[in-house]
Amino acid sequence: QVRMVESGGGLAQAGSSLRLSCAPSEHTFNIYAMGWFRQAPGKEREFVAAISRSGGRTYYADSLRDRFICTRDNAKNMVYLQMTTLKPGETAVYYCAARRVEGDRTIYYITAGDYEYWGQGTQVTVSS
């Protein structure tokens, strides 16, 4: 089964930045709409950001749209999440997800159940 592989997590001071990366376990990448989610211990998995197949459309959770930027480079088979002005409350495991899309390059998804393939996650810890 196809799975995603996340990287770039680690320890960050409040107010600093991190960039997460995600790649599929196979070479084909431009058939997927992609999303980022996060889950803190004991909490529900929550939506962070989404990006369409082509990278031309993005969407963010309202509380994050002024600080987080999601981009993709299909030539490199990579999707990124640039996180700035990090807060301690954003400590969580961050997950990358993918869904196959045919034809329409502008579609994106914000619900976890709409995604088919997931990674194991990368830990982000924000200290005060």
Side-chain angles (χ1 to χ4, degrees):
Q1 185 177 5
V2 177
R3 62 181 181 180
M4 304 296 113
V5 181
E6 305 96 337
S7 62
L11 178 64
Q13 288 285 327
S16 66
S17 302
L18 283 175
R19 189 183 72 166
L20 307 183
S21 301
C22 175
S25 60
E26 63 177 19
H27 67 278
T28 303
F29 183 65
N30 64 357
I31 62 173
Y32 302 122
M34 304 294 295
W36 288 96
F37 294 78
R38 66 187 182 189
Q39 188 168 22
K43 303 294 185 179
E44 288 286 307
R45 188 168 297 186
E46 65 174 336
F47 170 74
V48 173
I51 190 165
S52 63
R53 270 184 56 186
S54 67
R57 303 282 289 182
T58 56
Y59 189 81
Y60 305 91
D62 287 344
S63 63
L64 306 177
R65 65 178 59 253
D66 60 339
R67 296 186 293 114
F68 288 16
I69 299 176
C70 183
T71 58
R72 68 189 295 164
D73 187 340
N74 288 344
K76 297 180 179 179
N77 292 337
M78 298 290 289
V79 64
Y80 306 97
L81 183 68
Q82 179 67 44
M83 307 182 294
T84 64
T85 320
L86 284 163
K87 303 175 181 180
E90 292 170 329
T91 292
V93 176
Y94 284 69
Y95 296 92
C96 178
R99 173 171 173 154
R100 295 186 65 175
V101 175
E102 297 181 2
D104 193 341
R105 292 159 55 91
T106 67
I107 291 177
Y108 57 85
Y109 303 92
I110 64 172
T111 301
D114 285 333
Y115 287 92
E116 299 173 285
Y117 310 115
W118 293 81
Q120 293 294 309
T122 184
Q123 176 71 45
V124 172
T125 302
V126 185
S127 64
S128 59

